[in-house]
Amino acid sequence: PWRSCVSAPARVPWAPTLGVDHDVELLGGYEYSEFDNSGFEAIMQGFITDVFLWNNLAAGTQANSPAPLSYVEESQLASFFSRANYGFKDRYFLTGVIRYDGSSRLAEGNQWSVFPAVSASWRLSEESFMSSRPMGISTLAVRAGWGLQGNQAVRPYATQLLLRANSGARYPFGSTIATGLVASQVANPNLKWETSEQVNIGLDYGFMADRFTGVIDLYQKTTRDLLLDVPVPPPAVVNTRLENIGSIRNRGIELTLNTPLLDRGDRSLNLELVGAVERNEVLSLGGVREFIITGDVNGQGQSGRFSQRILVGEPLGTFWGPTFTRVVNGHQMFSCARVDDPSTTTVENADCVNGETRDPTGSDESVIGDANPNFSLGLSNNGRWGNVDFSWLWRAEMGRDVFNNTALVYRSKTNVNQSRNFLVDALADPDSVGEPAKFSSRWIEDGSFLRLQNMTIGYRFNMPSMMGVAAGRSTRVYLSGDNLLLLTGYSGYDPEVFVDRGLASRGIDYVAYPRARTFTLGANVQF
């Protein structure tokens, strides 16, 4: 494959002088980017020698099944932008930004859009009424901002009907066999920018001569006209299409605290604590769908089974399915609701007895989990003790759910009947040998964890000169380890690994390789 990007930026700053109390800076610019992506692929096997490398494919004796492949993609992105900064008495600050972006990847009439933003801050600690430093406050500033941001990250030609050659569509024309074309993409002549509106409010603080410092940020980000590849009904020639559909909102708060725990000459220890709470919610699916299914389930008998739904009023990563209750006589039981309709002789969920059934229906399904954490924490320390320096980072996510698809497939005794592998945990499973695996809340586990993400220790020294040759005046050797410790109740290898099983899916673990534990030994030398 070959790819190139040609960019031609131009920026013109201007900073006029308006007086000792005023700071003004203006910036204007233009940027043009052109992307060319092309490639060619051909496969041949059975070479009698490797001397030719890829320069003589005809020397092979066996062609692999895929036909030769070639492609070319081109797109352009042009941007006009400007920014104005204004400061007054080094206390009040105002910034305004405006962009006018155009993308060839979007539909005609929707290629250009304006994205403005404005932010302001106020250093309260510089005001005269804060001169007495009430409550030990040494630094205090408030910030606020609002802005629009565009996303055009779609494939080139995403608005057009695309055709591709298909070896299964060959037709005779006279004595010649011609390879036909089939549709590979449905046209969307209305594709436009995905737009995110974000509002931020922040507080910067410091106490006791900035011995304790940190920030508090609250934000809300609402994304509209989401670019999603969604199912489309017949007579569409392809069953999915890229569309602008729906909106989603993210709200959150982030807090940080920094403080030196020890500061005595060549001995120091600093602490940084970071906490975050985020909630996302689907606001709309365009008014034409109640939900979008995603997160397909792997395993025998799971065809057409999905683990998640994108629902209005719920977050992305919402698990949907029947609720598992217990195992009775080797059979799985699920919650159900028997409904007797007095106006007819029909009974919905006739197999539902005392609120339980062996065969749940669609009406028995509901929300059974959320792949998003309730909150996350990070704790890091770094310090020195003479010539020794050290640091470590702990990270935690609490309240997140994980679908253990690996357990669903390999923790079933039914695999014995098909000569399939299974986990040793299946031997203690109460299910009977003939009981099939069924997706339910049984396989949704608590994925909360505490991880020692990194630990590093180093030693600094000056290397002596040897035979009159100057040596490194400052040398540091270090040993660093990543993913050293994981504390979790999750029964799989790692609750933080997942596989992509569909549109906006998350929190799905299926034979995913766990994060590696790595060690690095190195040295930095200055001459």
Side-chain angles (χ1 to χ4, degrees), residues 166-204:
N166 189 327
S167 59
R170 294 183 175 180
Y171 303 93
F173 289 90
S175 60
T176 304
I177 300 297
T179 300
L181 301 175
V182 298
S184 62
Q185 176 178 285
V186 181
N188 184 351
N190 301 312
L191 204 63
K192 57 185 178 181
W193 288 87
E194 177 183 283
T195 304
S196 297
E197 178 184 22
Q198 183 160 333
V199 179
N200 296 75
I201 300 175
L203 177 71
D204 303 329

Side-chain angles (χ1 to χ4, degrees), residues 278-301:
E278 181 178 278
R279 299 290 182 267
N280 78 70
E281 179 184 351
V282 177
L283 301 179
S284 169
L285 291 177
V288 296
R289 297 173 176 85
E290 293 184 21
F291 58 85
I292 297 175
I293 55 177
T294 186
D296 54 312
V297 180
N298 277 90
Q300 187 175 14

Side-chain angles (χ1 to χ4, degrees), residues 344-500:
T344 66
T345 59
T346 61
V347 178
E348 185 178 351
N349 282 9
D351 295 330
C352 183
V353 179
N354 297 326
E356 289 184 320
T357 181
R358 286 177 54 183
D359 299 303
T361 65
S363 61
D364 300 321
E365 298 182 355
S366 60
V367 175
I368 56 175
D370 181 2
N372 303 284
N374 293 333
F375 64 91
S376 59
L377 292 172
L379 175 65
S380 63
N381 294 89
N382 63 82
R384 289 185 57 197
W385 192 280
N387 292 338
V388 178
D389 62 87
F390 48 87
S391 65
W392 56 81
L393 170 63
W394 291 88
R395 192 167 56 83
E397 290 187 4
M398 310 304 294
R400 65 201 305 269
D401 292 323
V402 177
F403 167 33
N404 193 343
N405 199 165
T406 305
L408 181 147
V409 175
Y410 293 104
R411 210 167 70 191
S412 171
K413 290 191 180 77
T414 303
N415 289 349
V416 175
N417 295 333
Q418 285 87 33
S419 299
R420 297 174 180 267
N421 293 328
F422 58 88
L423 297 172
V424 68
D425 294 346
L427 300 176
D429 198 272
D431 292 7
S432 62
V433 173
E435 179 70 3
K438 299 178 182 178
F439 170 74
S440 68
S441 62
R442 183 182 190 180
W443 312 107
I444 307 299
E445 301 185 31
D446 182 9
S448 302
F449 68 87
L450 173 64
R451 186 190 303 274
L452 179 55
Q453 187 74 40
N454 174 269
M455 177 177 287
T456 301
I457 185 169
Y459 182 75
R460 299 178 183 273
F461 61 96
N462 294 326
M463 294 183 63
S465 59
M466 300 178 62
M467 301 178 63
V469 178
R473 66 174 184 269
S474 178
T475 301
R476 176 178 179 263
V477 295
Y478 64 90
L479 175 64
S480 179
D482 292 300
N483 192 28
L484 298 177
L485 179 65
L486 176 65
L487 303 176
T488 180
Y490 179 61
S491 64
Y493 283 124
D494 193 329
E496 205 175 7
V497 296
F498 66 93
V499 292
D500 184 5

Side-chain angles (χ1 to χ4, degrees), residues 82-242:
S82 63
R83 183 185 67 202
N85 294 323
Y86 173 71
F88 179 65
K89 292 187 175 181
D90 202 29
R91 301 176 193 171
Y92 315 99
F93 303 91
L94 181 66
T95 298
V97 176
I98 188 168
R99 296 183 62 94
Y100 186 50
D101 295 323
S103 172
S104 67
R105 301 188 181 192
L106 305 175
E108 289 189 27
N110 295 325
Q111 293 177 331
W112 291 91
S113 190
V114 178
F115 303 104
V118 62
S119 63
S121 62
W122 177 22
R123 292 182 179 174
L124 283 84
S125 53
E126 301 300 319
E127 298 289 352
S128 58
F129 59 80
M130 294 289 292
S131 58
S132 61
R133 302 301 180 195
M135 298 181 293
I137 297 175
S138 51
T139 298
L140 187 63
V142 292
R143 299 173 279 104
W146 169 89
L148 295 179
Q149 184 177 9
N151 175 27
Q152 54 91 43
V154 299
R155 301 179 302 271
Y157 322 118
T159 63
Q160 303 174 29
L161 172 65
L162 298 184
L163 304 176
R164 61 178 174 83
N166 189 327
S167 59
R170 294 183 175 180
Y171 303 93
F173 289 90
S175 60
T176 304
I177 300 297
T179 300
L181 301 175
V182 298
S184 62
Q185 176 178 285
V186 181
N188 184 351
N190 301 312
L191 204 63
K192 57 185 178 181
W193 288 87
E194 177 183 283
T195 304
S196 297
E197 178 184 22
Q198 183 160 333
V199 179
N200 296 75
I201 300 175
L203 177 71
D204 303 329
Y205 65 87
F207 294 92
M208 300 175 61
D210 284 352
R211 178 174 178 82
F212 298 92
T213 61
V215 299
I216 302 175
D217 280 308
L218 291 89
Y219 64 89
Q220 175 175 293
K221 182 179 180 181
T222 304
T223 304
R224 300 179 176 87
D225 299 320
L226 292 166
L227 291 166
L228 299 178
D229 202 18
V230 298
V232 292
V237 292
V238 180
N239 58 7
T240 63
R241 183 174 79 162
L242 189 65

